[in-house]
Amino acid sequence: MSAAAAALRLDVMTVRPYTRQLLMVLGAMGVLVVIGPPAAGLMAGAVFAAVVAAYPFAVEDKNDLGTLHASLPVQRGTLVLARYVLSLLTYLVATAAATVLAVAWSTTGDAVVTAGELGLVATAGFVTYALLVGIQLPVYYAVGYTRGRLLGYVPIMLLSAGGAALGASGELDLGGLVEPLERHPGLVAGLAVLGGATVLVLSAIASWRLDRRRTARVSAGARQAG
């Protein structure tokens, strides 16, 4: 097993005891698909991934796992990369589940989901995911989950509140948004994915540097205390 795969497995095992809580969050995401425009529920995958991304940091702070991670024969950059890979896999799984639910739900009601709507929302969802995680993770690497959780969750709360308001009002016209973008769908999707990927790469680099600084401060403090 490679170092990156081992680091990813460690994070998965870290959040595994909280599977029930995560399933409840996933269920809430399903409710958004049902009560609002079905395709708009795909955006909840970005929120779910951002919530899950915070769990390894929360568990690390709660159980003082920083010392364990520092003693592992794995480079810090690999551990940082594993956190981003975990969040990306979570986003893909959540979005796939929301897509299946949206299509299934649309066949039972009046809100028919078109391929164009699904493509638009999936593209916007990836960009949203990249922005949420791209902001959130560097904050946790800089100051830790306990001190940074409020700042990290502010974008998620704002997005959730806005999405819930639009879904409840029924004023979100996905068809009207899709029409002008259908002229160059490939270009739009390509630019959006490229932009989201760039945000994630820059965020990962920032997290790696911030993690090195924080680790150095902790190590220096430990030496002085000793």
Side-chain angles (χ1 to χ4, degrees):
M1 181 181 296
S2 66
L8 178 59
R9 184 174 182 272
L10 175 62
D11 277 346
V12 171
M13 297 301 293
T14 298
V15 301
R16 186 175 179 180
Y18 300 89
T19 301
R20 181 177 298 179
Q21 296 179 20
L22 295 177
L23 288 176
M24 292 176 63
V25 177
L26 189 61
M29 184 187 74
V31 173
L32 293 178
V33 177
V34 173
I35 66 174
L42 271 65
M43 294 291 290
V47 177
F48 179 73
V51 171
V52 175
Y55 268 68
F57 295 94
V59 175
E60 181 177 340
D61 278 13
K62 181 179 179 180
N63 298 282
D64 194 22
L65 298 180
T67 303
L68 171 62
H69 291 165
S71 65
L72 294 175
V74 179
Q75 295 183 354
R76 298 295 302 184
T78 302
L79 295 174
V80 172
L81 177 62
R83 296 274 169 97
Y84 279 84
V85 171
L86 176 61
S87 73
L88 179 59
L89 292 176
T90 303
Y91 165 72
L92 293 175
V93 171
T95 300
T99 301
V100 172
L101 181 59
V103 173
W105 183 254
S106 69
T107 61
T108 64
D110 297 329
V112 178
V113 179
T114 66
E117 291 174 348
L118 288 175
L120 170 64
V121 179
T123 301
F126 176 72
V127 175
T128 302
Y129 152 75
L131 290 173
L132 289 177
V133 172
I135 294 172
Q136 186 180 26
L137 265 62
V139 171
Y140 294 150
Y141 276 113
V143 298
Y145 174 79
T146 302
R147 295 174 58 189
R149 60 184 174 182
L150 180 58
L151 180 59
Y153 276 117
V154 165
I156 299 176
M157 291 186 290
L158 291 177
L159 177 65
S160 300
L166 285 175
S169 65
E171 296 178 357
L172 183 61
D173 182 13
L174 289 175
L177 293 175
V178 170
E179 185 176 353
L181 298 177
E182 284 182 338
R183 300 171 186 172
H184 305 285
L187 178 61
V188 172
L191 290 176
V193 171
L194 178 61
T198 301
V199 169
L200 290 175
V201 171
L202 294 177
S203 173
I205 294 174
S207 293
W208 173 63
R209 292 180 176 177
L210 291 167
D211 181 59
R212 289 182 61 186
R213 294 178 183 176
R214 186 164 180 252
T215 301
R217 290 198 303 268
V218 172
S219 299
R223 287 195 299 268
Q224 291 179 358

